[in-house]
Amino acid sequence: MKIGVVKEREVGEQRVALIPDVVAKLVQQGYVIQVESGAGEMAHFHDDDYQAAGAEIINSLEDLWGGVDVLLKVAPLRDREVEWLRTGGTLISFLNPLGNPWQMQHLADRQITAFALECVPRTSRAQSMDALSSQAAIAGYQAVLQGAAALPRFFPMLTTAAGTIPPAKVFVIGAGVAGLQAIATARRLGAIVEAFDIRPAVKEEVQSLGAKFVEVALQEDTVASGGYAKEVSEAAKHTTQEAIAAHVQTADVVITTAQVPGKPAPLLVTERMVSTMKPGSVIVDLAAEQGGNCACTEPGREIVHQGVTVIGPVNLPSSLAIHASQMYAKNISTFLKYLTKEGSLYLDFEDDITAAACITHGGEIRNERVRQSLHAQEPSIATVA
Ligand code: NAD
């Protein structure tokens, strides 16, 4: 089976879908790996490294995109890339299928079998294929480093001849995969950490990392199926804002990571709360791309609002390109092997992992939620043309 690794063309995307070490293992297992020349360059993996691992380097974009059985990618497709795929071929990548339902229709029309890695179920069995988690952990880590770099104070407590420096206070909002890694990273740097999440079940995990859990009593169910958070009522959002305001006010760094799958990010830090923070404090809003948890966030920008630095990073995992690619390569190669039987793709739609991740196959969109979102969104110009 011929597997292709393409060069990412999305602005700012530095990751690559397979790294040379993983290529070597796949080659040993009988896969033929073709890598587009320069595909790993931004993540510091060079064509020579891939060649030494047993891959073939392909210089022509058409030959690579149009010549392989399965194409591996990181960032969702740009519309023109859909045209480069081989009719009847297979694609495994992040696809943002709910945000791009018309592109999914276009893939189906082109008879492409497309798997969205973000749709792999978050179960123990699928853990090694869970690219959402591996990349979220990187985002949580990087968010703390960005916050620390922008803060005009130390993180750890220091006792020096020039006086004693108290530790920084960090408040993490949302204790999912990214939030827990942010807590752990801030603790490693010596900060005092508090954290809040509307799912009460995370209290023990927060405490086990040495942080204090901020409890907010909400009069409604906050957990949906699969352990994810639910979108809560306006009244509950208001109660939450009131309860966390004092913790935001005293924090040196606030890291927000709160998200509800398929919905805009909840607004938790209001402009008024930001204006109560000490000058020089920092907010890093990991939900910036989904609308932001903070009213002052501007996606992709760092702004200063009444003396408080508000950072709205986009695609943070890409900034740690070597390890982000390494972890992604482990996830995507495990998924590829999961779909392979006796050297060919074998799609068992009775299997929960295959069924959940497959968005298009046999000329149809297989995912019900994507089909529903087709009706809610206008087709993009590129898809119509
Ligand atoms: P996410 O990125 O969707 O959300 C981040 C966090 O924001 C979540 O903890 C959520 O509870 C929280 N949140 C949502 N609305 C909020 C609000 N109004 N106020 C405060 N916090 C709010 O979540 P994620 O990190 O991708 O994963 C969340 C859950 O997914 C986990 O707790 C777990 O149950 C499940 N999961 C399971 C596995 C596995 O079993 N292999 C792996 C990863 C995740």
Side-chain angles (χ1 to χ4, degrees):
M1 197 179 353
K2 224 187 251 181
I3 310 298
V5 178
V6 297
K7 188 153 117 185
E8 299 294 326
R9 288 171 168 81
E10 191 59 55
V11 176
E13 182 57 71
Q14 304 184 65
R15 294 169 291 179
V16 60
L18 289 185
I19 65 164
D21 280 358
V22 174
V23 166
K25 288 190 186 124
L26 290 173
V27 169
Q28 251 174 24
Q29 289 160 20
Y31 293 92
V32 173
I33 311 284
Q34 297 193 331
V35 176
E36 189 176 347
S37 179
E41 217 51 50
M42 299 290 279
H44 309 281
F45 300 110
H46 307 296
D47 287 356
D48 291 352
D49 306 327
Y50 285 103
Q51 240 161 354
E56 194 184 335
I57 301 298
I58 306 291
N59 287 305
S60 141
L61 181 155
E62 289 81 13
D63 288 353
L64 186 92
W65 284 75
V68 295
D69 300 306
V70 183
L71 201 115
L72 306 183
K73 211 182 162 315
V74 182
L77 292 164
R78 304 169 124 212
D79 282 330
R80 69 187 158 108
E81 289 176 328
V82 178
E83 303 301 334
W84 300 348
L85 287 161
R86 182 172 67 76
T87 304
T90 297
L91 168 72
I92 308 175
S93 180
F94 280 139
L95 290 177
N96 185 17
L98 291 175
N100 283 320
W102 285 97
Q103 191 188 72
M104 299 304 110
Q105 182 62 59
H106 197 181
L107 287 170
D109 293 343
R110 300 218 41 231
Q111 300 289 324
I112 285 154
T113 298
F115 290 94
L117 273 191
E118 59 268 67
C119 295
V120 166
R122 315 291 289 278
T123 56
S124 307
R125 207 162 69 85
Q127 228 166 11
S128 55
M129 311 171 207
D130 183 355
L132 270 189
S133 286
S134 68
Q135 305 303 298
I138 293 169
Y141 167 81
Q142 288 288 75
V144 173
L145 297 193
Q146 286 205 352
L151 184 72
R153 295 171 177 273
F154 277 113
F155 254 46
M157 187 182 109
L158 294 183
T159 309
T160 77
T164 300
I165 308 283
K169 282 189 185 166
V170 175
F171 183 36
V172 177
I173 302 177
V177 180
L180 290 171
Q181 187 53 243
I183 294 169
T185 306
R187 290 283 301 138
R188 286 182 204 116
L189 285 178
I192 293 179
V193 185
E194 294 184 321
F196 163 70
D197 196 293
I198 46 164
R199 290 180 302 124
V202 296
K203 178 178 174 179
E204 272 181 34
E205 285 175 270
V206 167
Q207 289 175 335
S208 72
L209 291 170
K212 183 180 161 216
F213 188 67
V214 172
E215 311 228 20
V216 180
L218 296 176
Q219 306 303 319
E220 60 188 72
D221 191 7
T222 55
V223 185
S225 60
Y228 280 106
K230 259 187 186 167
E231 190 175 33
V232 292
S233 66
E234 284 308 311
K237 277 184 201 158
H238 189 69
T239 308
T240 305
Q241 287 174 356
E242 287 197 329
I244 65 173
H247 300 272
V248 171
Q249 184 178 5
T250 53
D252 296 301
V253 177
V254 175
I255 312 269
T256 66
T257 76
Q259 296 199 36
V260 178
K263 307 271 178 199
L267 175 63
L268 297 166
V269 180
T270 61
E271 191 178 342
R272 199 186 55 77
M273 285 187 212
V274 177
S275 60
T276 65
M277 291 176 77
K278 295 183 290 274
S281 309
V282 181
I283 298 175
V284 184
D285 189 347
L286 281 190
E289 283 173 273
Q290 283 70 37
N293 294 139
C294 171
C296 302
T297 299
E298 293 183 23
R301 293 198 58 204
E302 177 174 322
I303 59 132
V304 178
H305 182 82
Q306 298 194 6
V308 177
T309 302
V310 183
I311 306 173
V314 293
N315 197 2
L316 258 192
S318 172
S319 61
L320 203 79
I322 293 180
H323 279 149
S325 302
Q326 178 182 323
M327 293 166 95
Y328 188 86
K330 166 75 181 170
N331 299 140
I332 201 167
S333 61
T334 307
F335 185 66
L336 172 70
K337 285 186 267 177
Y338 189 76
L339 297 178
T340 307
K341 211 172 180 181
E342 290 164 11
S344 309
L345 274 191
Y346 172 78
L347 305 186
D348 171 11
F349 290 112
E350 296 298 310
D351 176 84
D352 65 326
I353 300 174
T354 307
C358 185
I359 306 298
T360 63
H361 178 67
E364 289 181 344
I365 295 183
R366 290 185 51 88
N367 183 294
E368 176 58 27
R369 287 183 67 203
V370 178
R371 276 199 300 270
Q372 284 170 1
S373 51
L374 266 183
H375 305 296
Q377 289 184 29
E378 292 293 322
S380 72
I381 294 162
T383 313
V384 173

